[in-house]
Amino acid sequence: MDFSNPNTLRDSWIVNDGVMGGVSQSSLRQDVDGMFFEGVVSLENNGGFASMRSSVRFPQGTQLIELIAKGDGKRYKLVLRTELAPRVTYVADFIALPTWQTYRFNLSQFKSTFRGRDVNAPTLSFSDVIDFGILISNNQVGSFAIQLKTLKSS
């Protein structure tokens, strides 16, 4: 997935805490190096998260996914969803450093959650993934910005 491709922006969407009454705000914008996910996280009205999502598919046998990104030094979650457990999210944390970094994730780094709480779920296989997201939460109030360059399997 190349985030500098305009189709990637068109096929992505925002899911913020407004779905639960919160007031956090975020947006997506593109430049030649990739897609920015940026905004403000607020704890008002029991809020506290902002996220973006996009459809993605990984080939059978994928053992590792790589995200190239740079950011603001805050902790983000790479979030995966599958067809087998559509209400469960599989999440792995990373710190978005201010220079381009390649973040590598293997299956063992993901934990299964439902609304932020750990749950038992089917074992994750990258080939079952139907969408991915980037989430900022955990009381990280205030402005945030992360730029995504590529997401690929290996």
Side-chain angles (χ1 to χ4, degrees):
M1 179 172 279
D2 176 2
F3 293 101
S4 66
N5 181 332
N7 292 331
T8 305
L9 179 65
R10 185 195 71 219
D11 296 337
S12 300
W13 62 97
I14 297 291
V15 180
N16 293 334
D17 55 18
V19 298
M20 300 167 23
V23 297
S24 297
Q25 298 178 10
S26 66
S27 63
L28 298 169
R29 70 177 169 89
Q30 200 151 28
D31 80 357
V32 295
D33 289 329
M35 184 170 65
F36 282 91
F37 170 49
E38 55 199 352
V40 178
V41 173
S42 171
L43 298 179
E44 286 184 46
N45 296 342
N46 295 316
F49 74 89
S51 71
M52 62 76 57
R53 292 187 197 165
S54 188
S55 298
V56 71
R57 289 295 209 174
F58 299 111
Q60 191 74 29
T62 297
Q63 296 298 310
L64 186 76
I65 55 177
E66 295 181 345
L67 173 68
I68 298 178
K70 68 178 178 176
D72 51 15
K74 292 188 176 185
R75 180 175 301 278
Y76 291 84
K77 294 180 186 301
L78 178 64
V79 180
L80 304 177
R81 293 180 190 277
T82 69
E83 292 176 316
L84 300 175
R87 296 176 55 101
V88 172
T89 57
Y90 296 87
V91 299
D93 291 354
F94 67 100
I95 304 289
L97 298 175
T99 57
W100 290 114
Q101 302 290 316
T102 301
Y103 300 94
R104 293 178 176 87
F105 302 92
N106 61 47
L107 292 168
S108 67
Q109 291 173 268
F110 289 87
K111 64 180 182 178
S112 54
T113 67
F114 177 72
R115 295 186 178 161
R117 292 189 171 89
D118 293 352
V119 295
N120 288 326
T123 302
L124 176 63
S125 171
F126 289 137
S127 62
D128 292 330
V129 171
I130 57 172
D131 73 47
F132 92 98
I134 301 293
L135 170 76
I136 183 166
S137 60
N138 295 11
N139 295 320
Q140 295 181 95
V141 175
S143 298
F144 70 89
I146 183 171
Q147 186 175 16
L148 311 173
K149 189 171 204 165
T150 61
L151 177 69
K152 64 181 183 177
S153 60
S154 32

